[in-house]
Amino acid sequence: MSRNMDTELDLDKMDLEQGPPQEEPRRQYYFMAKCRQYAKQLEEELGHRPTFFVQTFGCQMNARDSEKLTGILEQIGYVPAQDEQADFVVYNTCTVRENANQRVYGRLGKLHHYKKDNPHMRIALCGCMMQESHVVEKLKSSYGFVDIVFGTHNVYKLAELMADRQESGGMIVDIWPEADKIVEELPNRHKYAFKSGVNISFGCNNFCSYCIVPYVRGRERSRSPEDIVREIEKLSREGVVEIMLLGQNVNSYGKDLKSPMSFARLLTRIEKIEGIQRIRFMTSHPKDLSEELIAVMKASRKICRHLHLPVQSGSTRVLKAMNRKYTKEQYLELVERIRREIPDISLTTDIIVGFPGETWEDFEETLDVVRRARYDSAFTFLYSKRTGTLAASMENQVPEEEMKRRFDVLLEVVQRIGREMSSRFTGTVQEVLVEEVNAQDETLVTGRMGNNLLVHFPGDATLIGKLVPVRLEECKGFYYMGKKA
Ligand code: SAH
Ligand code: SF4
Ligand code: F3S
């Protein structure tokens, strides 16, 4: 694990008499210093350093936000705990599907129980679920033991909210409908020393009719290329070799900047950063994937041969109702073009089964796309009705049983093709970035190929974080066994 803070800070020397400054990020440094004092008092009462636990639900965006929360908590002086029996617990929530939502309520009961045993315990909830007013109402009325509730736009304010909670004594709720700014230069901890996610844009403007993300993450905002490059240069100095560029739709990056810049050009710029050996990105909306991007990927030595290209449905009629803005034919043409230019590319996708009005014929179109596009893997989802989205008010919601029947048929096809596609590298030598010593067998290490497939091969901890050429000997479905080449 490695630490990262742009400005060298000495929180202990900060003058707290003067009151908080207005401008960010200095305001947050002030509150971190303040919380550090509270943490010291707490340490005396508890007899040990106060501990924290951050539980992340949902996607890479949330994972990245959790790293920021972790960075702040560590600056304040909290130490990581192994589980939720900690002095400060954060649930960073997801609401993209109903089951993600239910899991959080389920686990809150357990937290309440822990809190009864440890009155010093504080519980914070943040993330996408909190951006929904009916959730916050429910928390206020039935979950009074929760201490802090905040959303997706003010993650950087954690220290200030903790200080508010300390001073007020009651539940603090701070939810913003939109982000007013992007605050840079806050503490941050990336989970692995050798790889890190990097936000390039926040929010989404696409309003796919089934999707709640634009409502809970706000409008699309790109970070400036200078800030992105500076962050990656810093990560590189700290030993990071692989970065994952994150955005709901990376292909529309930069359109909202004062001097607009394409995603492809941003990649070209990032490619030049010394020390960075692998570049990944997520997610690509098919409607915005440019010729320029294909050309840049083709010419690049660092960009991984992997594209996550969510199709959602293979039926043009359903795609239109989903507001995806491409047809089945346009999607397949795009896949063909990509495969022609970059033959060794791995394609992965997301598919929703049971969108309102989806017929068996529509579903067969989806199967057809899967067979033709030949994905290395696919995330398949049962359609989930999200309050406030256009699709939620559509008629012809598909019955649960029928949805599940289709889902099972799809899964079988997806997995069969995935296995076939994954095994096509057998016998070749591939660069593998080693992530860890294998949990089951200590004589093996585990790493990932450029296309994200896992590889196990004989080795030891000294290889962690290194790119190693490995001969792939045997494909076991969705992973390989290999030997150092
Ligand atoms: N921005 C990304 C997706 C973010 S959500 C993109 O456009 O590709 C991740 C995936 O969750 C989506 O691709 C979609 O397949 C799925 N998803 C989103 N809303 C859903 C819903 N209401 N029901 C089921 N699956 C959903
Ligand atoms: Fe949701 Fe569509 Fe935006 Fe992806 S592009 S986050 S699916 S609205
Ligand atoms: Fe979930 Fe929010 Fe991501 S709703 S999928 S955590 S953007």
Side-chain angles (χ1 to χ4, degrees):
M1 293 224 230
S2 81
R3 175 159 288 174
N4 154 347
M5 191 138 177
D6 272 11
T7 330
E8 263 319 310
L9 265 187
D10 194 342
L11 293 180
D12 289 328
K13 290 204 184 115
M14 202 137 186
D15 179 9
L16 295 176
E17 298 300 309
Q18 299 224 357
Q22 281 307 312
E23 77 282 12
E24 300 293 4
R26 279 192 48 229
R27 184 177 174 85
Q28 295 313 312
Y29 297 152
Y30 169 91
F31 283 108
M32 282 181 234
K34 207 161 184 190
C35 286
R36 197 179 266 195
Q37 289 187 344
Y38 292 138
K40 288 204 177 104
Q41 289 164 14
L42 185 58
E43 180 176 350
E44 277 169 28
E45 285 177 51
L46 291 167
H48 62 82
R49 292 273 295 277
T51 59
F52 74 93
F53 186 76
V54 179
Q55 176 71 48
T56 312
F57 301 85
C59 68
Q60 304 262 5
M61 295 287 165
N62 262 15
R64 189 74 190 105
D65 285 346
S66 288
E67 293 182 346
K68 295 174 186 169
L69 296 167
T70 300
I72 295 171
L73 286 163
E74 291 189 336
Q75 275 300 319
I76 291 174
Y78 282 64
V79 292
Q82 293 308 312
D83 57 31
E84 283 140 305
Q85 297 191 53
D87 301 308
F88 196 88
V89 174
V90 187
Y91 279 177
N92 191 4
T93 63
C94 170
T95 187
V96 78
R97 287 169 291 275
E98 186 59 26
N99 54 3
N101 228 291
Q102 287 312 327
R103 278 184 29 223
V104 170
Y105 287 122
R107 290 174 68 157
L108 273 177
K110 194 168 72 179
L111 283 193
H112 193 192
H113 188 72
Y114 292 152
K115 194 172 179 177
K116 283 178 188 153
D117 290 341
N118 175 10
H120 293 290
M121 182 179 183
R122 294 288 173 264
I123 299 170
L125 299 179
C126 64
C128 296
M129 239 176 107
M130 303 304 127
Q131 295 292 140
E132 296 180 279
S133 51
H134 64 91
V135 171
V136 176
E137 288 318 310
K138 184 162 168 174
L139 291 170
K140 280 188 193 156
S141 63
S142 316
Y143 294 81
F145 60 90
V146 172
D147 296 286
I148 302 172
V149 178
F150 59 109
T152 56
H153 302 301
N154 49 357
V155 162
Y156 70 88
K157 265 186 76 178
L158 177 65
E160 182 168 350
L161 297 169
M162 286 171 78
D164 287 352
R165 169 66 185 79
Q166 183 72 20
E167 283 146 29
S168 84
M171 187 194 274
I172 299 289
V173 178
D174 190 18
I175 309 286
W176 303 354
E178 276 288 336
D180 59 349
K181 55 181 166 282
I182 299 176
V183 177
E184 300 281 354
E185 319 241 320
L186 280 168
N188 161 35
R189 175 180 277 280
H190 41 105
K191 205 169 154 202
Y192 295 93
F194 51 88
K195 66 172 185 179
S196 178
V198 175
N199 298 113
I200 64 166
S201 63
F202 302 93
C204 181
N205 287 348
N206 290 310
F207 289 93
C208 301
S209 62
Y210 51 81
C211 185
I212 199 158
V213 170
Y215 301 90
V216 296
R217 286 270 167 183
R219 293 296 65 69
E220 188 171 87
R221 301 160 317 272
S222 301
R223 278 178 82 193
S224 81
E226 294 76 28
D227 284 333
I228 295 169
V229 167
R230 204 177 308 130
E231 180 176 347
I232 299 173
E233 284 172 345
K234 182 153 191 301
L235 288 168
S236 166
R237 286 197 296 278
E238 291 168 357
V240 166
V241 294
E242 175 178 305
I243 51 160
M244 164 82 96
L245 306 175
L246 298 172
Q248 293 299 347
N249 176 11
V250 291
N251 295 332
S252 62
Y253 170 81
K255 290 183 180 156
D256 58 327
L257 290 171
K258 270 197 207 99
S259 22
M261 180 190 215
S262 69
F263 178 54
R265 264 186 54 214
L266 177 70
L267 279 173
T268 314
R269 177 70 191 80
I270 292 173
E271 172 114 20
K272 296 199 184 101
I273 300 174
E274 226 176 286
I276 297 299
Q277 303 187 46
R278 267 185 179 176
I279 304 169
R280 302 181 183 281
F281 51 84
M282 261 183 107
T283 295
S284 280
H285 195 308
K287 79 177 166 71
D288 296 313
L289 199 146
S290 65
E291 291 299 320
E292 190 193 9
L293 176 64
I294 300 176
V296 165
M297 280 186 86
K298 185 177 177 177
S300 167
R301 287 179 307 107
K302 294 184 178 178
I303 302 172
C304 290
R305 293 320 200 218
H306 175 210
L307 256 183
H308 186 62
L309 200 60
V311 64
Q312 313 298 2
S313 166
S315 153
T316 295
R317 203 182 61 79
V318 172
L319 286 168
K320 191 159 187 350
M322 286 178 160
N323 193 29
R324 289 292 289 182
K325 301 198 167 76
Y326 51 84
T327 63
K328 176 189 183 186
E329 289 70 30
Q330 285 167 334
Y331 184 89
L332 285 171
E333 259 166 49
L334 178 62
V335 166
E336 211 172 291
R337 226 178 314 141
I338 295 166
R339 289 218 188 272
R340 197 165 54 230
E341 294 299 320
I342 315 171
D344 56 346
I345 193 110
S346 286
L347 291 179
T348 57
T349 201
D350 293 348
I351 301 169
I352 298 175
V353 176
F355 182 83
E358 183 192 73
T359 62
W360 183 262
E361 287 69 36
D362 292 319
F363 173 66
E364 282 188 329
E365 301 267 17
T366 300
L367 291 178
D368 188 45
V369 169
V370 170
R371 290 193 188 105
R372 294 205 210 184
R374 298 191 61 73
Y375 300 110
D376 281 65
S377 70
F379 294 103
T380 50
F381 304 109
L382 290 170
Y383 168 73
S384 171
K385 191 172 174 175
R386 307 313 292 134
T387 311
T389 62
L390 202 63
S393 59
M394 287 181 186
E395 289 171 10
N396 303 323
Q397 303 274 332
V398 178
E400 182 98 13
E401 294 234 319
E402 177 56 23
M403 247 201 278
K404 286 191 174 143
R405 184 166 81 97
R406 293 178 197 175
F407 186 88
D408 291 341
V409 173
L410 175 65
L411 196 63
E412 210 192 295
V413 177
V414 156
Q415 290 190 338
R416 178 177 55 74
I417 294 173
R419 255 183 245 114
E420 287 168 17
M421 289 304 281
S422 300
S423 67
R424 74 189 186 280
F425 302 101
T426 308
T428 64
V429 173
Q430 301 284 337
E431 296 257 289
V432 173
L433 178 61
V434 179
E435 299 199 337
E436 59 201 4
V437 173
N438 190 300
Q440 269 96 51
D441 181 347
E442 282 182 2
T443 66
L444 300 177
V445 289
T446 300
R448 279 176 200 278
M449 292 165 41
N451 70 1
N452 221 23
L453 274 182
L454 284 174
V455 182
H456 308 292
F457 66 97
D460 57 42
T462 58
L463 295 176
I464 293 174
K466 298 212 164 71
L467 274 167
V468 181
V470 176
R471 182 171 304 281
L472 305 178
E473 296 186 322
E474 195 188 352
C475 183
K476 303 254 192 187
F478 294 95
Y479 66 92
Y480 275 100
M481 303 302 297
K483 274 222 173 71
K484 226 165 134 180

